[in-house]
Amino acid sequence: MHKIEHIGIAVKDLASANELYTKLFGQAPYKIEEVASEGVKTSFFKSGPNKIELLEATNADSPIAKFIEKRGEGIHHIAFEVTNIVTEVDRLKSNGFIVLNEQPKKGADNKLIVFLHPKSTNGVLIELCQEIS
Ligand code: ZN
């Protein structure tokens, strides 16, 4: 596992959050993308070498809708970059971590992603992501 790839923040309203974060960073999101399979609309901001992902639910069953219902807006996950997501998932599973999806799935921003269950990571939702080449 290498660096933090991005931090994901759950928001109720992506349009108004985009305005706020555009003011915060002094630049507009470089990408806005809907991931229909996940029930989310996302936007990505750069701040120096760091990336922030904003996530808005697109339906009531979306994991983001459920997260906001339970815990309100805020930090939703931390994503780490990996070179080989399959071997990394195997390594983590053999160390007792629980994965939410066995098969890497296509996430936003051209990534294959796997989530680790927060109950195996002290309450933090961790995303592994590998750039699709
Ligand atoms: Zn993410």
Side-chain angles (χ1 to χ4, degrees):
M1 223 182 283
H2 315 303
K3 60 170 187 171
I4 290 178
E5 213 286 327
H6 62 270
I7 294 174
I9 298 174
V11 303
K12 283 183 187 161
D13 179 63
L14 192 64
S16 67
N18 279 341
E19 273 179 40
L20 185 80
Y21 279 80
T22 296
K23 280 184 211 158
L24 180 69
F25 295 129
Q27 55 186 333
Y30 67 89
K31 185 182 276 190
I32 293 176
E33 183 182 351
E34 185 166 342
V35 185
S37 57
E38 295 292 301
V40 296
K41 197 172 169 193
T42 65
S43 63
F44 286 87
F45 288 84
K46 279 202 174 102
S47 167
N50 301 307
K51 279 164 60 178
I52 297 292
E53 173 185 32
L54 304 181
L55 305 113
E56 176 196 65
T58 53
N59 64 64
D61 293 327
S62 163
I64 296 299
K66 287 174 183 159
F67 177 87
I68 288 177
E69 202 174 291
K70 259 196 248 170
R71 297 168 69 168
E73 292 183 296
I75 294 180
H76 176 257
H77 64 271
I78 300 178
F80 291 92
E81 184 180 85
V82 299
T83 313
N84 186 324
I85 200 163
V86 173
T87 57
E88 195 61 9
V89 163
D90 283 347
R91 185 184 72 83
L92 292 170
K93 278 167 61 185
S94 69
N95 279 287
F97 292 94
I98 301 162
V99 297
L100 285 175
N101 54 301
E102 289 279 334
Q103 285 303 317
K105 55 189 178 183
K106 179 122 172 33
D109 205 25
N110 197 41
K111 298 279 193 293
L112 283 175
I113 62 171
V114 169
F115 285 101
L116 302 183
H117 198 295
K119 79 180 176 194
S120 66
T121 51
N122 297 82
V124 177
L125 180 61
I126 289 179
E127 175 187 338
L128 308 177
C129 56
Q130 178 190 335
E131 183 90 19
I132 299 170
S133 51

